[in-house]
Amino acid sequence: MDLTVVRLTAPATATAPGLLLRPWRPQDAPALAGLGRDDAVRRWTSFPVEDEASAAGWLREQADAWEAGERYAFAVTERQAGGGEGGLLGHLVLKRPRPGPGEVGYWTAAPARGRGVASRALRALTEWAFAAFAAEGLTRLELLHQVDNDASCRVARACGYGLDAVLPAAPPAYPLDGHLHVRAARQDTA
């Protein structure tokens, strides 16, 4: 599978458009810089983007990690009629350490919150990850968030990631306790 052309989709709902998940591009820097100033993104993540220059640097890091097969970062956008795409709604990532489980993470832009964007995008990423990396033995995905991030907890549970453990804080990188959610690949039963 040529991972450089991966484009994932999630269907529209009654309250939100369809979604397109695609690799980040250098031309996303201006929009990404704006999202990096979002208070909620800054509170819940360690996202290091504050301006267009730091956005461009972050985008280069994502491209390098994708090429190395370590991390697959996706921009989440609205799907438009005719195959076009609309505004930037968020970010999803699959971290792929080997051996071991993968880890997923995400954040959404303010206009996307409360519309099921994170859940639909995470479902699409989860299905893709288990299918794309089954031959490499990927059977488990983990999702981590701060214990007080109720929205992320709801998204994890809605997408089949059960709460596995409460992890103790590890300052300064992890100043608060965290929830570890886990989802296993579906096993065929015959």
Side-chain angles (χ1 to χ4, degrees):
M1 172 191 305
D2 182 1
L3 295 177
T4 61
V5 295
V6 173
R7 291 170 66 91
L8 311 175
T9 60
T13 69
T15 59
L19 304 176
L20 172 66
L21 285 70
R22 52 133 174 104
W24 286 95
R25 303 182 295 226
Q27 57 267 38
D28 292 323
L32 185 62
L35 297 178
R37 292 186 286 274
D38 181 293
D39 288 338
V41 170
R42 296 179 80 62
R43 177 178 181 200
W44 299 117
T45 73
S46 58
F47 189 57
V49 170
E50 298 179 11
D51 55 27
E52 201 166 325
S54 58
W58 185 85
L59 291 168
R60 281 190 301 276
E61 290 173 10
Q62 302 317 300
D64 291 347
W66 188 295
E67 188 174 312
E70 298 167 353
R71 187 172 59 243
Y72 302 96
F74 293 87
V76 180
T77 65
E78 294 180 351
R79 288 177 59 196
Q80 301 291 313
E85 63 182 86
L88 188 58
L89 300 177
H91 163 73
L92 263 81
V93 64
L94 168 66
K95 299 173 187 173
R96 190 67 186 103
R98 293 173 189 89
E103 180 183 339
V104 295
Y106 55 88
W107 53 258
T108 55
R113 295 183 194 129
R115 296 180 10 196
V117 169
S119 299
R120 291 183 298 131
L122 180 58
R123 282 186 198 101
L125 179 73
T126 299
E127 292 171 12
W128 171 77
F130 282 134
F133 299 101
E136 294 180 19
L138 180 65
T139 60
R140 175 182 162 117
L141 291 173
E142 298 178 344
L143 185 156
L144 304 164
H145 67 80
Q146 289 181 187
V147 294
D148 59 342
N149 189 337
D150 295 334
S152 281
C153 210
R154 284 191 301 274
V155 168
R157 289 182 171 148
C159 294
Y161 286 78
L163 180 61
D164 189 67
V166 176
L167 305 176
Y174 304 102
L176 299 175
D177 292 351
H179 279 174
L180 170 64
H181 293 265
V182 173
R183 178 157 169 192
R186 290 188 172 86
Q187 301 296 321
D188 291 335
T189 56

